[in-house]
Amino acid sequence: GGCGGFISTAIMIAPKKGMPAGNTSVILPSELIDRCIGSKIWVLMKGDKELIGTLRGFDMYVNMVLEDVEEVELTADGPKLTKLPQILLNGNNIAMLVPGGRPDE
């Protein structure tokens, strides 16, 4: 999948009424996430956890199924890495999604 190029795309949520005429560059968040299915995604959680994995699916609440996951927890003793084959991630605690995985990969 090719979603890495969308990192710099401006994402805005706008009501249908009052949309600027001729504006074809609006991308809804769900559309962006949908384009990332099958691709790496970097998920920054509220708190001290980050996850990097392949997005397999999501729902309207941004609960996500990720595969080949690396979970990084920042602890007082340094980063703790956990590898998981597949997870269902609750969307309530997500702070940010970065399509394409970590920039340093």
Side-chain angles (χ1 to χ4, degrees), residues 21-71:
N23 185 348
T24 58
S25 63
V26 174
I27 298 176
L28 297 174
S30 60
E31 292 177 279
L32 179 65
I33 299 169
D34 191 54
R35 292 178 189 182
C36 294
I37 291 176
S39 297
K40 284 275 191 195
I41 193 161
W42 178 25
V43 183
L44 290 100
M45 305 298 290
K46 296 175 189 170
D48 296 327
K49 284 188 182 177
E50 300 178 5
L51 299 116
I52 300 109
T54 301
L55 180 63
R56 290 296 173 210
F58 69 100
D59 65 13
M60 62 190 270
Y61 302 106
V62 196
N63 298 315
M64 296 188 297
V65 175
L66 298 173
E67 288 184 345
D68 303 320
V69 179
E70 289 185 5
E71 178 188 68

